[in-house]
Amino acid sequence: MEADKTLRRDVALANRIIERCGLSNVFGHASARIPGTDTFLFPRRRSPGFAEENHLLVIDTDGNVRTGVGTPNSELWIHARIYASRPDIGGIVHAHPMACICLSQIGEPFRIVHNQGGAFAAGVAEYEPIGLIRTRELGDQLVRCLGSAVGVIMRGHGITTATADIRSATVAACFLEEGARLQLQMLAAAGGDQGQIRAYTREEADRVSDQLSPAIVARAWEYYAAVAEVRPLGG
Ligand SMILES: [Zn+2]
């Protein structure tokens, strides 16, 4: 019972974090698998900044609302189909962060330009079709694109991160957007010449690939959670 309460609190907090930390405003959502089941906790159809632990829905991998009152976010299929095909996944974040969207629209792949980017040493998937993931089929298409990657950048739309638990999926999303912001700033400073950016080599990226270790996730989650508590909506 206590574990269920903690998970609900984490899901609500993860949603507020992605809004308070600038990864989403009106849209976006974070979810967590209820351990050992094909169901997950998911917020209602409002800005993630409004998520509350007592108003979460329980949804299954076929997209059915099992318990809870209210309408789910229409992109529930992102979560439902990843949980259906990846039993190793326990947490998912979908957000619309601006720097990642910018990269996708200037045809720049995400490059590892700082240590926290090492979370994506194995690569970031790129999903080309525009528009929202509002059907089971589109959810399955996104799953195929994601493969075994930690995250996917969706062109003109946003990002999705999928990891073992909700806290690391949230931290991964924050690190992905942070890296994209830095990459854009470096591109601007270099006058648009991406050849001047000293992106990490594969070997260098591997050396900092432990960014989602339990110790780093615990420290980052503590910070982001505190920020979400003190920063106002829209702040
Ligand atoms: Zn979306």
Side-chain angles (χ1 to χ4, degrees):
M1 213 53 201
E2 194 52 42
D4 178 63
K5 208 173 162 188
T6 300
L7 193 63
R8 284 181 172 271
R9 199 162 50 223
D10 278 4
V11 171
L13 193 47
N15 279 277
R16 295 198 299 272
I17 286 172
I18 64 172
E19 192 275 333
R20 300 301 200 281
C21 292
L23 273 68
S24 272
N25 40 49
V26 179
F27 309 105
H29 21 82
S31 71
R33 184 195 294 276
I34 296 175
T37 74
D38 65 349
T39 63
F40 56 97
L41 292 166
F42 194 62
R44 296 187 299 185
R45 194 174 185 178
R46 303 179 75 195
S47 164
F50 295 128
E52 295 174 42
E53 61 192 84
N54 295 325
H55 293 126
L56 296 172
L57 306 172
V58 176
I59 298 182
D60 66 28
T61 52
D62 288 319
N64 304 305
V65 177
R66 295 278 194 89
T67 61
V69 178
T71 306
N73 281 283
S74 61
E75 288 191 295
L76 65 92
W77 293 107
I78 293 173
H79 305 254
R81 302 318 295 162
I82 292 176
Y83 289 126
S85 67
R86 296 276 305 276
D88 56 315
I89 298 301
I92 296 171
V93 169
H94 172 66
H96 295 179
M98 293 182 189
C100 286
I101 293 173
C102 283
L103 283 185
S104 77
Q105 288 295 55
I106 59 173
E108 277 290 319
F110 179 86
R111 297 177 205 279
I112 297 168
V113 296
H114 78 320
N115 290 345
Q116 278 64 52
F120 302 93
V124 175
E126 295 176 10
Y127 184 77
E128 187 68 12
I130 60 154
L132 301 182
I133 309 297
R134 282 180 163 165
T135 66
R136 182 188 184 107
E137 291 69 31
L138 287 172
D140 286 334
Q141 190 173 298
L142 182 69
V143 166
R144 287 193 291 275
C145 177
L146 176 67
S148 60
V150 170
V152 55
I153 293 180
M154 303 151 80
R155 184 169 74 89
H157 178 178
I159 63 168
T160 298
T161 55
T163 61
D165 61 88
I166 180 73
R167 294 186 179 192
S168 59
T170 306
V171 170
C174 292
F175 286 174
L176 184 59
E177 175 65 358
E178 185 177 279
R181 273 185 207 147
L182 287 172
Q183 194 176 332
L184 285 178
Q185 287 171 15
M186 290 174 196
L187 259 181
D193 178 5
Q194 59 103 335
Q196 283 192 41
I197 298 178
R198 300 176 64 200
Y200 287 16
T201 63
R202 183 61 202 253
E203 191 273 330
E204 287 173 330
D206 284 344
R207 279 182 3 223
V208 291
S209 63
D210 63 343
Q211 302 299 316
L212 298 180
S213 68
I216 293 178
V217 168
R219 180 170 174 161
W221 175 265
E222 178 188 42
Y223 170 75
Y224 292 131
V227 167
E229 292 302 327
V230 299
R231 205 173 274 179
L233 186 77

